[in-house]
Amino acid sequence: VIDVPASSQVHSQVVVKTADNRKIEMDPAIRLHFITVQEPDMHNPTGDFERVAQALEQQWGLLELECDLRTLQKLQKALRLGKWEITVAIHRDLRITAVWPGFHDKAYGIAVDVGSTTIAMHLCELFSGDVVATSGLMNPQIRYGEDLMSRVSYVMMNPGGEVVLTDAVRKGINKLIKAVSDMANIDPDHILNAVFVGNPIMHHLILGIDPTELGGAPFALTTNSGMTLWASEIDLISNPDGRAYFLPCIAGHVGADTTAVILSEAPHLQERITLIVDVGTNAELVLGNNERLLAASSPTGPAFEGAQIACGQRAAPGAIERVRIDPITKKARFQVIGSELWSDEEGFSEATKKSGVTGICGSGIIEALAEMYLAGILTTDGVIDGSLADTCPYIIPTDRTFAYVMLDNEENPIRVYQTDVRAIQLAKAALYAGAKLLMDRLGVDAVDRILLTGAFGSHIDPKYAMILGMIPDCDLDDVNAIGNAASTGARIALLNKNARDEAEELVKRVEKVETAVEPTFQQYFIEAMALPHKTADFENLKKIVDLPKPSTATIVDGSGRRRRRRAK
């Protein structure tokens, strides 16, 4: 096994980590209280903690407080260093979790979205709500499996595998804690609160719970309740008496990250029917309005993120992320991560001299296939039309099929192969079929708006997603990429303790649709393999895009001879 550490890679993974400017009502679970404490004397044998509790009752109206042992161990020194004036941190008006001599006015918390591919962390000042530092990295568990089921398989086949995966993800989280603390120039000990969201398998592994039961029906969770732990219980390098809150999961494959998305986008407070799609290796979907909410997961796999694609790669400098194809010449032009110039613009070579053009990432492969379809290179069946090979230099035979040449470079040619098209078709069909199942269950033929979220979903151009048939037809003005809504939901829960209670009530309302046992899923999946779809009309899309008519494609049979097939 060869493992290349991320720190030594020339082209590092681009992790979406920007926090949006959401206004959040401030009511954090941790509050600081400055108090003056009566000094002890021979005639009043009351303990220091009891006099601190008395001061908090008299000066702040707080009753029946308890204190963590580690904080109690620091209390007497803090009182004397502060000359009987101290600042205490209290969790939910119930328990003292930190103490400082004198006046202290800063406390921090972290909102953490633990995805199967990436981990994103926001360091927030708990009283202003300001995001003071943000960082992200690839989930270190990736070396044990690209997707969630691969990691469950690793645990099943390797005794103690869950310990290895738990250790890997916790080390990754601690690496981010150090990174954001260094950025903000603070001591990690000042981080007093954390909120974690993630899919059920990530949720279990952070907690050190064996996820094997999530690997097969009925996909039983150990718990789907929200929970609050000491930071030390999950080995965080932040303040050991800080509290870590885990948002509740919804079902076996719909996790706390989906709960956070609902908290962020609030479809349950709106009359319009909203479809939220969190695009990742395991896509989560939420559909509904203020009357009813449904959720499902759909196994899209890692193709959308560049895996399983011949020239695919994760998002990094040099990766093709935007594609346009001339419908007449069939020649492609593109943009790569790290440069705003298109490949046919002057200065492109110089601008990409350092990184080069290294491959094609998820957003790039989606646009490439959609543009190939619009240019007549791909049929509605998803077949690269080999009949064009005689007149077009960008379509070349490969074994029994054809490939489309995006960049003819001897050192690193970028091509789209038939197998790449199939991988994306399988992923997008699973996504669409999941959405269609939810629409059936809700009893609707159309949705009013669609929101694309997730570290990858936020980079998708909604128009191209619809051209491929990843999502149902909808007015494109009502289809938006909204960034990482799970991270936003985690920040809301971090900065407003009542949002945690709201989330725990919300998950009780959500109806889970299990795609694995739905009899119509396979039919919907097969119909969704076509571009954009075999039977759906996509009337809204047709208003702004001229979709090709069914065409005849040339393929190569087993003898190597070309034959023509009518695309259905």
Side-chain angles (χ1 to χ4, degrees):
V1 176
I2 299 174
D3 185 40
V4 182
S7 58
S8 71
Q9 294 173 11
V10 175
H11 303 301
S12 61
Q13 165 84 13
V14 175
V15 179
V16 176
K17 54 193 181 184
T18 305
D20 66 17
N21 295 319
R22 183 72 57 89
K23 290 183 178 180
I24 300 170
E25 182 181 347
M26 299 300 300
D27 188 13
I30 296 287
R31 290 190 177 276
L32 299 185
H33 300 274
F34 175 75
I35 55 174
T36 300
V37 181
Q38 182 182 353
E39 296 186 38
D41 61 54
M42 294 294 290
H43 305 290
N44 183 4
T46 306
D48 282 353
F49 168 69
E50 284 69 25
R51 282 181 285 104
V52 166
Q54 185 181 49
L56 285 165
E57 180 180 351
Q58 292 173 350
Q59 298 167 35
W60 291 98
L62 298 172
L63 304 173
E64 299 181 2
L65 291 170
E66 297 180 348
C67 185
D68 288 343
L69 176 59
R70 277 180 292 249
T71 303
L72 202 60
Q73 292 165 348
K74 302 172 184 176
L75 182 62
Q76 290 194 317
K77 286 186 178 180
L79 281 167
R80 285 150 182 83
L81 282 172
K83 298 179 180 179
W84 307 101
E85 292 183 336
I86 59 171
T87 303
V88 296
I90 300 179
H91 180 257
R92 294 209 126 185
D93 295 337
L94 296 173
R95 198 171 183 91
I96 299 173
T97 62
V99 60
W100 296 270
F103 179 72
H104 185 87
D105 65 346
K106 294 291 184 182
Y108 299 88
I110 50 174
V112 192
D113 177 17
V114 184
S116 53
T117 303
T118 59
I119 305 174
M121 179 180 292
H122 301 301
L123 176 68
C124 302
E125 208 283 316
L126 287 179
F127 309 117
S128 68
D130 293 339
V131 178
V132 295
T134 294
S135 190
L137 50 67
M138 290 180 66
N139 190 326
Q141 292 178 343
I142 279 183
R143 68 191 63 173
Y144 305 105
E146 284 274 358
D147 56 72
L148 296 174
M149 285 300 108
S150 296
R151 294 178 208 175
V152 174
S153 296
Y154 179 86
V155 172
M156 295 171 68
M157 294 188 293
N158 296 275
E162 72 278 6
V163 177
V164 173
L165 292 179
T166 294
D167 182 64
V169 71
R170 288 182 180 177
K171 283 181 177 177
I173 291 167
N174 281 331
K175 185 176 180 180
L176 286 179
I177 290 175
K178 185 178 186 308
V180 295
S181 298
D182 289 346
M183 289 177 195
N185 195 28
I186 68 163
D187 188 331
D189 195 60
H190 292 168
I191 298 175
L192 304 180
N193 207 196
V195 169
F196 288 90
V197 302
N199 60 62
I201 291 173
M202 291 301 101
H203 172 277
H204 279 43
L205 286 171
I206 297 169
L207 293 171
I209 298 171
D210 188 328
T212 299
E213 289 298 322
L214 295 171
F219 312 109
L221 290 158
T222 301
T223 175
N224 68 330
S225 301
M227 62 176 67
T228 302
L229 309 172
W230 274 263
S232 58
E233 290 185 88
I234 52 173
D235 303 327
L236 299 186
I237 63 171
S238 56
N239 188 301
D241 278 341
R243 296 301 193 267
Y245 177 75
F246 286 74
L247 260 71
C249 294
I250 295 173
H253 284 292
V254 183
D257 49 354
T258 304
T259 305
V261 169
I262 295 173
L263 198 60
S264 169
E265 301 309 313
H268 58 289
L269 300 178
Q270 303 177 37
E271 292 185 5
R272 302 178 75 198
I273 294 174
T274 301
L275 173 66
I276 304 175
V277 185
D278 190 340
V279 187
T281 52
N282 188 63
E284 289 87 22
L285 304 104
V286 175
L287 178 70
N289 59 2
N290 54 8
E291 295 182 1
R292 193 177 172 195
L293 277 183
L294 296 89
S297 64
S298 200
T300 53
F304 284 147
E305 297 181 343
Q308 300 177 342
I309 305 299
C311 296
Q313 65 167 88
R314 299 197 182 280
I320 295 173
E321 62 171 344
R322 294 283 177 260
V323 179
R324 300 292 182 268
I325 296 176
D326 188 302
I328 305 301
T329 65
K330 315 300 184 192
K331 181 177 175 60
R333 61 190 186 97
F334 48 82
Q335 282 183 321
V336 300
I337 295 175
S339 173
E340 295 184 357
L341 295 175
W342 287 85
S343 57
D344 59 348
E345 291 183 303
E346 187 177 349
F348 176 81
S349 297
E350 186 64 28
T352 58
K353 187 175 182 179
K354 184 177 180 180
S355 66
V357 181
T358 54
I360 184 166
C361 67
S363 60
I365 194 66
I366 286 173
E367 292 197 8
L369 296 195
E371 284 281 326
M372 287 169 66
Y373 173 60
L374 294 178
I377 298 168
L378 272 184
T379 70
T380 53
D381 280 344
V383 176
I384 298 177
D385 190 351
S387 67
L388 301 172
D390 295 332
T391 57
C392 178
Y394 307 112
I395 298 173
I396 60 174
T398 57
D399 195 15
R400 297 183 178 184
T401 58
F402 293 85
Y404 174 70
V405 180
M406 292 186 62
L407 177 64
D408 192 8
N409 185 323
E410 290 185 6
E411 294 182 0
N412 187 28
I414 309 297
R415 299 171 182 171
V416 178
Y417 294 85
Q418 187 64 62
T419 52
D420 301 335
V421 179
R422 285 289 178 259
I424 294 296
Q425 281 182 283
L426 291 169
K428 75 98 177 179
L431 195 61
Y432 186 97
K436 186 68 169 67
L437 278 178
L438 291 184
M439 292 167 67
D440 279 0
R441 185 67 65 88
L442 193 63
V444 298
D445 295 323
V447 298
D448 296 320
R449 64 177 189 143
I450 299 175
L451 305 177
L452 302 173
T453 183
F456 169 65
S458 59
H459 279 282
I460 300 174
D461 185 315
K463 182 178 80 170
Y464 288 104
M466 194 173 290
I467 291 171
L468 274 192
M470 290 174 58
I471 53 178
D473 189 37
C474 183
D475 187 334
L476 272 172
D477 290 337
D478 292 313
V479 183
N480 296 289
I482 57 172
N484 194 343
S487 284
T488 301
R491 278 200 299 131
I492 292 171
L494 175 68
L495 300 174
N496 188 318
K497 64 179 184 290
N498 295 321
R500 306 178 187 186
D501 301 330
E502 181 186 355
E504 294 187 25
E505 287 301 315
L506 269 174
V507 298
K508 298 175 184 177
R509 289 179 48 191
V510 179
E511 302 171 42
K512 174 63 168 62
V513 177
E514 183 53 67
T515 57
V517 298
E518 287 290 332
T520 54
F521 181 83
Q522 192 69 18
Q523 175 192 341
Y524 290 156
F525 178 84
I526 292 170
E527 291 175 349
M529 285 287 287
L531 304 178
H533 194 274
K534 184 176 181 180
T535 57
D537 288 331
F538 280 82
E539 293 298 332
N540 285 292
L541 180 62
K542 289 176 181 177
K543 293 176 183 177
I544 61 169
V545 176
D546 291 328
L547 297 179
K549 295 179 180 179
S551 60
T552 301
T554 296
I555 59 176
V556 180
D557 63 19
S559 65
R561 294 175 300 180
R562 295 183 183 180
R563 57 188 177 88
R564 300 177 73 78
R565 184 180 71 177
R566 181 73 178 174
K568 297 181 181 178

